[in-house]
């Protein structure tokens, strides 16, 4: 499995301005990198709730935080129900809340069709229970109309949405598109030759669009931010690391609306982005943006 490197680690932890004994929530435990750093920031008398919708991520986060200070609580659940999960864990307010919206290497290699390098079933579900989902990526490419597919890809920033949508529709007339590898090959053949020469695979935006749709990531983010703002203690901060423009737009607008409503202030007038060194060492960090909001004391 590809090694995972936590993005904007120092900037996000520093931006939360956590004190010893603080209560903090890692809304996306992932591989546990941020979780451990949060535990170290709040110390032995602090509390860290580590939440993740992917049960495998909870297992990895537990392993990564072994021996870390602080009282650690692990919960398998989606951050769209952040407030409910926190309250069940005995937390009614938090001094800091962190969201890292990126997907880690373990998920991309999970056998759920999230990587175009894998000949895996085209599911793209966040956890290992696809039966809990209304639809999978396989359902979308099988049933969605050409115009709807094109609109979905375009919304996610794909440069050739019409060509790719048309190619998918033509391909599914011949045989069912069952695996990630099949879909990646269809996209590869559909785009102009020049688009195949870059460092980024031509199917990247298409896979991202399908994954976001399957997991309702944008809807979950809106719900998660609302819950986080409610949970924050007076003077508490929420920090969110996003990785594509649709996510960042939601975060930006939510923070602006909260500020206009008099709930607090935006700490990051412009998003914090990775240094050149971090972007060079970790290509996945290139598109990351960190925004921070503080609730009024």
């Amino acid at each position: 499995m590809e090694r995972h490197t936590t993005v904007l680690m120092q900037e996000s932890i520093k931006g939360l301005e956590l004190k010893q004994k603080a209560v903090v929530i890692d809304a996306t435990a992932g591989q546990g990198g941020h979780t451990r750093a949060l535990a170290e920031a709040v110390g032995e008398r602090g509390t860290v709730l580590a939440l993740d919708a992917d049960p495998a991520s909870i297992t990895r986060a537990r392993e990564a935080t072994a021996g870390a200070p602080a009282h650690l609580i692990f919960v398998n659940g989606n951050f769209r129900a952040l407030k409910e999960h926190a309250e069940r864990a005995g937390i009614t307010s938090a001094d800091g809340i962190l969201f890292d919206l990126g997907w880690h290497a373990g998920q991309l290699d999970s056998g759920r069709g999230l990587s175009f390098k894998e000949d895996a079933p085209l599911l793209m579900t966040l956890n290992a229970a696809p039966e809990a989902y209304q639809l999978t990526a396989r359902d979308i490419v099988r049933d969605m109309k050409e115009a709807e597919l094109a609109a979905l890809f375009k919304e996610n920033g794909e440069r050739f949405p019409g060509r790719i949508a048309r190619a998918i529709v033509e391909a599914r007339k011949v045989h069912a598109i069952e695996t990630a590898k099949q879909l990646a090959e269809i996209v590869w053949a559909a785009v102009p030759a020049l688009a195949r020469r870059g460092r980024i695979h031509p199917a990247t935006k298409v896979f991202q669009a399908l994954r976001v749709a399957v997991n309702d990531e944008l809807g979950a983010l809106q719900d998660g931010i609302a819950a986080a703002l409610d949970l924050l203690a007076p003077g508490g901060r929420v920090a969110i690391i996003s990785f594509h423009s649709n996510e960042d737009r939601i975060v930006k607008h939510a923070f602006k609306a909260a500020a206009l409503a008099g709930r607090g202030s935006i700490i990051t007038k412009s998003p914090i982005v990775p240094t050149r060194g971090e972007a060079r060492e970790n290509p996945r960090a290139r598109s990351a943006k960190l925004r921070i909001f503080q609730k009024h004391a």
Side-chain angles (χ1 to χ4, degrees):
M1 180 174 35
E2 182 181 340
R3 185 176 67 87
H4 177 77
T5 303
T6 305
V7 176
L8 291 169
M9 171 76 85
Q10 295 180 352
E11 293 87 345
S12 56
I13 302 301
K14 181 180 178 181
L16 287 172
E17 291 194 340
L18 298 169
K19 296 179 174 59
Q20 296 284 299
K21 300 191 292 184
V23 175
V24 63
I25 298 174
D26 185 351
T28 48
Q31 301 271 51
H34 278 126
T35 309
R36 187 175 188 94
L38 291 170
E40 292 169 351
V42 301
E44 293 182 358
R45 298 174 66 185
T47 298
V48 179
L49 168 61
L51 178 71
D52 206 288
D54 183 356
S57 291
I58 291 295
T59 299
R60 292 188 181 94
R62 282 183 184 276
E63 294 169 352
T65 55
H71 173 51
L72 285 155
I73 305 168
F74 295 91
V75 175
N76 176 209
N78 195 299
F79 60 57
R80 76 184 317 153
L82 179 64
K83 193 173 182 180
E84 289 85 347
H85 290 306
E87 289 174 349
R88 287 195 201 101
I91 296 172
T92 55
S93 69
D95 302 298
I97 302 174
L98 175 64
F99 294 75
D100 176 353
L101 303 178
W103 285 54
H104 59 73
Q107 290 168 316
L108 295 176
D109 298 332
S110 64
R112 288 176 240 150
L114 288 158
S115 171
F116 34 75
K117 299 176 183 178
E118 282 192 306
D119 194 18
L122 193 59
L123 301 174
M124 300 200 186
T125 51
L126 182 58
N127 61 45
E131 64 274 8
Y133 286 74
Q134 291 185 343
L135 78 172
T136 65
R138 180 171 51 202
D139 299 326
I140 293 174
V141 299
R142 181 191 65 210
D143 300 329
M144 191 172 277
K145 295 178 181 178
E146 181 179 327
E148 293 172 331
L149 283 170
L152 177 65
F153 301 152
K154 183 178 180 179
E155 184 180 351
N156 203 69
E158 171 54 50
R159 291 185 296 162
F160 310 103
R163 294 177 65 145
I164 294 170
R166 193 173 310 114
I168 289 172
V169 170
E170 291 302 316
R172 73 192 188 193
K173 290 177 182 176
V174 180
H175 57 78
I177 305 170
E178 298 284 346
T179 70
K181 187 176 180 181
Q182 280 179 295
L183 178 60
E185 290 173 349
I186 291 166
V187 175
W188 179 275
V191 302
L194 190 62
R196 304 172 194 152
R197 298 176 186 170
R199 290 181 298 175
I200 300 174
H201 194 286
T204 299
K205 293 286 187 181
V206 170
F207 272 56
Q208 188 177 74
L210 291 169
R211 189 202 75 204
V212 168
V214 167
N215 296 285
D216 188 26
E217 291 180 29
L218 301 184
L221 177 58
Q222 291 173 320
D223 292 345
I225 295 173
L229 292 173
D230 286 344
L231 264 177
L232 275 182
R237 291 186 173 192
V238 56
I240 304 179
I241 303 170
S242 63
F243 287 83
H244 60 78
S245 59
N246 289 341
E247 289 176 340
D248 182 58
R249 190 177 302 114
I250 288 172
V251 177
K252 179 181 178 180
H253 289 172
F255 284 180
K256 184 177 180 180
L260 289 173
R263 302 186 70 183
S265 53
I266 299 169
I267 302 302
T268 48
K269 301 305 179 185
S270 297
I272 297 170
V273 298
T275 62
R276 289 183 180 179
E278 181 176 6
R280 184 173 56 251
E281 293 175 13
N282 180 15
R284 288 184 180 177
R286 286 181 301 219
S287 59
K289 292 182 178 180
L290 168 64
R291 293 185 187 270
I292 302 171
F293 182 89
Q294 183 171 28
K295 198 168 187 176
H296 281 324

